[in-house]
């Protein structure tokens, strides 16, 4: 797809048809921010069209950088997929995804990382060459979830000042800060979601001016040491699992990503 505002409007209309309950999130401003304003590069995506030129399906990734063994490695974050109700069952998703990955690899992208739900995980693993790292942990407790000795693992999404400021400009979510931890508001005054820790190298910058009073905190992520007061939510009140998946496009030069060597937060996936 062309990475411009007209293309964004076309995608927005398809997303509204496909996900009518998410029209508020998939606004023009949100998709413009996500697809066109990312400092790491514009959206990498493919669309399918009918013979009369109407959009039938869409699959999108956006460029990200991971710090892997202290090296900055360019890759893609798997994001939005949509198929018009009239064109489901035609394998359009897998075809568009493979075209996207092939193009990304030509651009020098070395991997694709993403979070899949229970329904889509099988397709990514069986048809698109991904492997499952692990489900993200879902825990709840009082105050901040992170221990003072929280450390990032060897491999994690890399942020500099520019990409951090872009990420925090997300038009759909609002963020608060307390003692170096960023929280996404849940529209509940005593309940917040911890989305990330400000990286140590960026601690001197002021990214969020709004402070938060914490009581109950939800944590969804992988790779940080958490306080013992945070406990795993029972299965019967959890959502569909957030499965962290990975595709190596480096022809084998990247190490295997495991729960023991990777850190990944909601902030890295843009769901809170």
């Amino acid at each position: 797809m062309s990475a411009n505002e007209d293309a964004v409007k076309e995608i927005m209309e398809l997303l509204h048809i496909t996900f009518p309950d998410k029209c508020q999130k998939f606004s023009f401003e949100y998709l413009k921010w996500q697809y066109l304003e990312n400092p790491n590069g514009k959206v990498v995506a493919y669309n399918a069209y009918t013979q009369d030129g109407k959009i039938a399906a869409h699959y999108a990734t956006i460029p990200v950088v991971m710090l892997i063994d202290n090296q900055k490695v360019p890759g893609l974050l798997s994001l939005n997929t949509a198929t018009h109700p009239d064109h489901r069952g035609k394998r359009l998703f897998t075809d568009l995804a493979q075209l996207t990955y092939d193009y990304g690899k030509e651009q020098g992208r070395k991997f694709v990382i993403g979070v899949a739900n229970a329904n889509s995980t099988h397709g990514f693993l069986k048809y698109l060459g991904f492997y499952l790292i692990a489900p993200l942990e879902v825990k709840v407790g009082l105050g901040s979830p992170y221990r003072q000795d929280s450390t990032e693992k060897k491999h994690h999404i890399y942020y500099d000042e520019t990409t951090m400021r872009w990420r925090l400009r997300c038009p759909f979510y609002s963020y608060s800060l307390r003692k170096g931890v960023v929280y996404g508001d849940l529209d509940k005054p005593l309940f917040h979601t911890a989305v990330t820790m400000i990286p140590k190298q960026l601690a001197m910058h002021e990214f969020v001016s709004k402070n938060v009073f914490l009581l109950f905190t939800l944590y969804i992520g992988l790779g940080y040491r958490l306080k013992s007061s945070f406990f795993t939510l029972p299965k019967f009140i959890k959502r569909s699992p957030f499965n962290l998946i990975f595709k190596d496009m480096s022809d084998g030069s990247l190490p295997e990503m495991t729960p023991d060597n990777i850190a990944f937060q909601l902030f890295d996936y843009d769901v809170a």
Side-chain angles (χ1 to χ4, degrees):
M1 62 168 278
S2 300
N4 55 48
E5 292 190 3
D6 288 339
V8 168
K9 292 176 182 177
E10 182 181 53
I11 298 307
M12 180 187 69
E13 293 174 0
L14 175 64
L15 289 169
H16 287 184
I17 293 171
T18 308
F19 306 108
D21 58 332
K22 294 184 178 181
C23 291
Q24 184 178 1
K25 176 179 179 178
F26 289 129
S27 66
F28 173 74
E29 289 302 321
Y30 176 82
L31 292 171
K32 178 183 174 184
W33 164 82
Q34 192 176 63
Y35 283 16
L36 305 182
E37 298 175 358
N38 179 1
N40 290 317
K42 293 184 178 181
V43 63
V44 180
Y46 268 83
N47 298 333
Y49 292 89
T50 63
Q51 290 185 343
D52 57 357
K54 295 182 179 179
I55 188 168
H58 168 70
Y59 175 71
T61 64
I62 61 170
V64 294
V65 174
M66 280 191 74
L67 203 63
I68 299 176
D69 290 333
N70 293 317
Q71 299 294 319
K72 296 175 186 176
V73 180
L76 298 171
L77 175 67
S78 178
L79 280 179
N80 302 330
T81 179
T83 301
H84 192 284
D86 294 341
H87 299 284
R88 290 172 182 163
K90 300 178 181 179
R91 291 180 54 90
L92 294 176
F93 161 66
T94 52
D95 291 343
L96 295 178
Q98 192 58 61
L99 288 168
T100 301
Y101 305 151
D102 291 344
Y103 182 67
K105 187 173 181 178
E106 290 177 7
Q107 290 185 317
R109 308 292 173 180
K110 302 298 184 182
F111 65 87
V112 187
I113 193 168
V115 178
N117 60 29
N119 293 329
S120 62
T121 298
H122 175 74
F124 279 105
L125 271 55
K126 183 175 181 180
Y127 300 111
L128 293 171
F130 284 76
Y131 62 84
L132 174 66
I133 299 174
L136 300 183
E137 296 178 324
V138 181
K139 296 192 174 188
V140 69
L142 298 175
S144 170
Y146 302 102
R147 284 171 35 178
Q148 288 186 347
D149 62 347
S150 295
T151 55
E152 292 176 340
K153 300 294 181 69
K154 285 184 178 181
H155 318 311
H156 57 86
I157 300 294
Y158 173 79
Y159 294 98
D160 57 18
E161 182 181 358
T162 301
T163 53
M164 179 64 73
R165 292 195 185 282
W166 164 77
R167 179 62 186 82
L168 289 166
R169 288 201 308 269
C170 175
F172 186 69
Y173 299 106
S174 61
Y175 298 101
S176 305
L177 184 70
R178 183 177 176 84
K179 296 181 178 179
V181 179
V182 178
Y183 297 88
D185 294 338
L186 288 176
D187 296 325
K188 297 178 176 61
L190 300 180
F191 207 115
H192 291 79
T193 302
V195 294
T196 193
M197 295 182 71
I198 297 292
K200 292 179 181 179
Q201 72 271 17
L202 299 177
M204 73 292 294
H205 299 286
E206 181 177 339
F207 293 106
V208 181
S209 58
K210 181 181 176 183
N211 291 319
V212 63
F213 171 76
L214 287 180
L215 187 57
F216 298 106
T217 301
L218 178 68
Y219 169 87
I220 302 175
L222 192 68
Y224 283 85
R225 296 173 183 168
L226 304 183
K227 294 177 181 177
S228 58
S229 58
F230 273 71
F231 62 91
T232 301
L233 285 176
K235 290 184 178 180
F236 70 89
I237 60 173
K238 279 186 187 180
R239 290 174 157 188
S240 171
F242 296 89
N243 290 322
L244 184 60
I245 57 175
F246 193 89
K247 177 181 175 69
D248 186 347
M249 299 195 301
S250 70
D251 298 323
S253 65
L254 297 182
E256 181 181 0
M257 302 292 151
T258 72
D260 295 326
N261 65 23
I262 192 170
F264 195 87
Q265 311 293 287
L266 282 186
F267 193 73
D268 302 326
Y269 184 58
D270 182 40
V271 294

